[in-house]
Amino acid sequence: MVRAGGVARIRPGTLRRVIVDMPATAVEMMRERPLPLPVAVVAAVGGGVALLLAFPPYGVWPLAAVGVALLAGAAHRRRPRAGAGLGFLTGVALFAPLLGWTNLHTGYLPWALLSLLQAGYLALLGAATAWVSPLVDRLRWGWPVLTGVLWVAQEALRDRTPFGGFPWGRLAFSQDGSPLLRLAALGGAPLVTFAVAVAGGFLVAAGWAGWAAYRHPGRRWTPVAGAMAAVLAVPAVGLLVPIRAEGGGEAVTVAIVQGNVPRLGLDFNAQRQAVLNNHVAATVELADQVASGARPRPDLVVWPENSSDIDPLRDASAGGRIQSAADAVGVPILVGAVLRGPGEGQVRNAGLLWWPGTGPDLDQLYTKRHPVPFAEYVPFRDVARLVSKQVDRVRADFVPGSTPGVLAAGPAVLGDVICFEVAYDEVVRDTVTGGAQLLVVQTNNATFDVAEARQQLAMVRLRAVEHGRPALMASTVGVSGFVSPDGRVSDATEFNTRAIVVRQLHLADGHTLATRVGLWPEVALTFLAVAALAAAGVRRRTRGALTAGTPVRGRQDGA
């Protein structure tokens, strides 16, 4: 070793002696290679398919960990750009079919662009997975944790960018039937995602160790058995989390009216008179059933998003029909309405409480805070028009609200969120910290299909557990239903049907740990991901310097 000004240079001969003196296992690790490229490609695509099958309508939730493991194994020990390519393949295999409902009425190009954009985030994940390979090789049992924090960081970025993000396809939303769903009460969706990815990390560690043991008969199979035991233990941990089966508070009876639309598709807006009439007629039918004793009298009726696409505050006919329904049933109706204003050429997607006798209560009005880009408002309209002429159906941009959807509806305080907002952590949490006792998701699935509706219902299940609240989803065409605080679904309706469901719920107060800590679990896990990337960079630089004989700064005493 030669010194000059505190800088040590390692002669090639010295490096050879160091390698010769290494333990046999370390030499084998240096000689190990990534998976052959054809195998890695198959694993990456298979990982995307496994992830897809974990989500509704398939719902094979254990496959989420398998998908995570396949991508982690495919990208391990590859260059970051190769890892990015493999991650992109996983993303396309997952998102193209998962988001297939977006092309039903808008054409293939918007669906393709959205799918490719979302796949790009898994490309970043694949690159990051490849980048941290030196840390995995140094600390093999750190593989599960590294996998977990990288997945959380990827989702944190995807949930917020661009245009406010698109959280569809988070690992957490695939676990609606899993014991891991209970972890949402401790750390929300990020903690559930972390747990799924940790299970996937143990799975890939077991597979990698098993392959090494197969190739080297002298190695023990104990690490494989230990990793597989850990894979099974991760979901079992969820069973230890205590959650409430009922709200525990006062009982209220709630009715969901699913009025249906004359036909599915984007032109449901052209049928807006019929859609409003359907919901009025179904509510009057409910009133008749209550009067005859066939159903219990509800304390509240919930209509879905877009149940009145005619502004009932400005159109006397629409307002009169809603008033007739409220007077007939004798209880307030939470109406999903499109309201014009506040400015010229602007509209609002709102939840509005309408009382029998007195009409709309403008103090109990929620305006959707997170309008959907290119569906409810159109950024870069001239450019977007080149992609799809359907953007011109959005004649006026929806403006966002500024306050959480906390509505006092007689005996219950509602936490109202509209459609895709259920996917955003803080939008839902803000209603609970604002005093909501019952979570209400108003949605319109008339432009999508039953797969999208069931994916959305899975999100409602997670939110109910996360905040310890009963919840419901009211859709124009389905799926509508009630969810208990432990995530169980009751009275789920069929898709594209007219339905009325009534159920007694127990309201909930108090906050789960997840509600109290909010974003902090995601922040902490994302910070660990950034730290891991930085540590991997340092290790890569050091290892590169050793193998190439480049200068390595060291202490003056030679240590």
Side-chain angles (χ1 to χ4, degrees), residues 176-478:
D176 58 318
S178 163
L180 293 177
L181 184 70
R182 302 167 73 98
L183 294 176
L186 301 181
L191 184 60
V192 178
T193 286
F194 177 73
V196 175
V198 164
F202 276 118
L203 196 58
V204 71
W208 207 273
W211 176 245
Y214 173 78
R215 291 175 58 203
H216 306 284
R219 289 191 178 183
R220 293 184 175 182
W221 286 84
T222 306
V224 181
M228 290 305 298
V231 171
L232 299 176
V234 171
V237 170
L239 296 175
L240 303 178
V241 179
I243 55 177
R244 292 187 295 192
E246 297 290 344
E250 294 185 7
V252 297
T253 301
V254 181
I256 300 172
V257 171
Q258 179 179 301
N260 207 10
V261 301
R263 58 185 179 275
L264 300 176
L266 291 176
D267 64 343
F268 83 93
N269 284 299
Q271 312 165 54
R272 53 189 182 170
Q273 293 277 3
V275 174
L276 175 57
N277 289 342
N278 284 356
H279 286 85
V280 170
T283 304
V284 172
E285 178 184 333
L286 169 63
D288 292 340
Q289 293 172 351
V290 170
S292 68
R295 288 185 188 265
R297 178 176 296 278
D299 298 299
L300 171 71
V301 174
V302 179
W303 286 7
E305 176 192 23
N306 300 138
S307 48
S308 179
D309 261 1
I310 306 168
D311 186 346
L313 302 181
R314 301 196 184 198
D315 187 293
S317 175
R321 277 175 283 170
I322 296 173
Q323 189 66 55
S324 68
D327 291 341
V329 77
V331 298
I333 302 174
L334 180 61
V335 178
V338 175
L339 307 178
R340 287 182 284 176
E344 187 66 28
Q346 294 179 328
V347 289
R348 291 169 289 163
N349 192 347
L352 172 63
L353 207 62
W354 204 287
W355 290 83
T358 58
D361 185 350
L362 298 184
D363 291 329
Q364 304 303 320
L365 168 68
Y366 169 61
T367 299
K368 187 175 183 180
R369 296 166 64 192
H370 203 301
V372 180
F374 304 103
E376 293 178 312
Y377 74 98
V378 183
F380 313 118
R381 185 178 288 268
D382 291 340
V383 176
R385 191 177 292 114
L386 299 176
V387 176
S388 174
K389 301 293 185 183
Q390 300 292 348
V391 298
D392 288 328
R393 287 181 177 269
V394 185
R395 296 185 178 91
D397 286 338
F398 283 74
V399 295
S402 58
T403 58
V406 181
L407 306 177
V413 179
L414 309 180
D416 188 25
V417 297
I418 298 177
C419 199
F420 283 18
E421 288 186 319
V422 70
Y424 296 90
D425 297 344
E426 287 304 294
V427 174
V428 181
R429 178 178 179 268
D430 286 347
T431 70
V432 178
T433 57
Q437 302 166 302
L438 167 64
L439 298 178
V440 174
V441 180
Q442 296 178 285
T443 187
N444 173 26
N445 307 110
T447 57
F448 305 125
D449 63 12
V450 67
E452 184 273 345
R454 295 200 178 279
Q455 290 163 17
Q456 198 169 24
L457 185 60
M459 301 177 196
V460 180
R461 297 179 70 177
L462 183 139
R463 298 307 180 193
V465 174
E466 179 180 14
H467 299 294
R469 294 288 189 274
L472 65 88
M473 186 164 95
S475 169
T476 48
V477 298

Side-chain angles (χ1 to χ4, degrees), residues 7-294:
V7 177
R9 292 184 180 275
I10 301 177
R11 293 193 179 105
T14 305
L15 182 61
R16 283 194 296 271
R17 286 195 299 275
V18 170
I19 294 176
V20 168
D21 292 338
M22 275 183 169
T25 55
V27 175
E28 288 174 3
M29 184 177 292
M30 292 184 66
R31 289 175 179 170
E32 286 183 12
R33 295 288 185 265
L35 293 177
L37 185 58
V39 175
V41 168
V42 171
V45 174
V49 173
L51 288 168
L52 170 68
L53 295 177
F55 287 91
Y58 314 104
V60 190
W61 59 263
L63 289 180
V66 175
V68 169
L70 288 171
L71 174 57
H76 186 54
R77 289 204 179 107
R78 296 201 172 274
R79 294 181 183 274
R81 63 171 176 253
L86 293 167
F88 188 75
L89 290 177
T90 299
V92 170
L94 166 62
F95 287 112
L98 184 72
L99 304 178
W101 43 267
T102 62
N103 76 358
L104 295 178
H105 308 289
T106 60
Y108 288 101
L109 189 53
W111 158 72
L113 291 177
L114 178 61
S115 300
L116 294 175
L117 173 64
Q118 299 308 303
Y121 289 91
L122 289 197
L124 292 177
L125 175 64
T129 300
W131 179 257
V132 301
S133 297
L135 289 185
V136 172
D137 287 337
R138 179 70 178 85
L139 302 167
R140 184 57 57 86
W141 290 106
W143 205 343
V145 174
L146 286 170
T147 304
V149 297
L150 290 179
W151 268 93
V152 172
Q154 173 267 139
E155 289 188 354
L157 180 64
R158 189 167 68 84
D159 297 351
R160 293 167 175 81
T161 60
F163 307 114
F166 187 71
W168 222 268
R170 296 169 77 176
L171 289 182
F173 296 151
S174 70
Q175 300 298 297
D176 58 318
S178 163
L180 293 177
L181 184 70
R182 302 167 73 98
L183 294 176
L186 301 181
L191 184 60
V192 178
T193 286
F194 177 73
V196 175
V198 164
F202 276 118
L203 196 58
V204 71
W208 207 273
W211 176 245
Y214 173 78
R215 291 175 58 203
H216 306 284
R219 289 191 178 183
R220 293 184 175 182
W221 286 84
T222 306
V224 181
M228 290 305 298
V231 171
L232 299 176
V234 171
V237 170
L239 296 175
L240 303 178
V241 179
I243 55 177
R244 292 187 295 192
E246 297 290 344
E250 294 185 7
V252 297
T253 301
V254 181
I256 300 172
V257 171
Q258 179 179 301
N260 207 10
V261 301
R263 58 185 179 275
L264 300 176
L266 291 176
D267 64 343
F268 83 93
N269 284 299
Q271 312 165 54
R272 53 189 182 170
Q273 293 277 3
V275 174
L276 175 57
N277 289 342
N278 284 356
H279 286 85
V280 170
T283 304
V284 172
E285 178 184 333
L286 169 63
D288 292 340
Q289 293 172 351
V290 170
S292 68

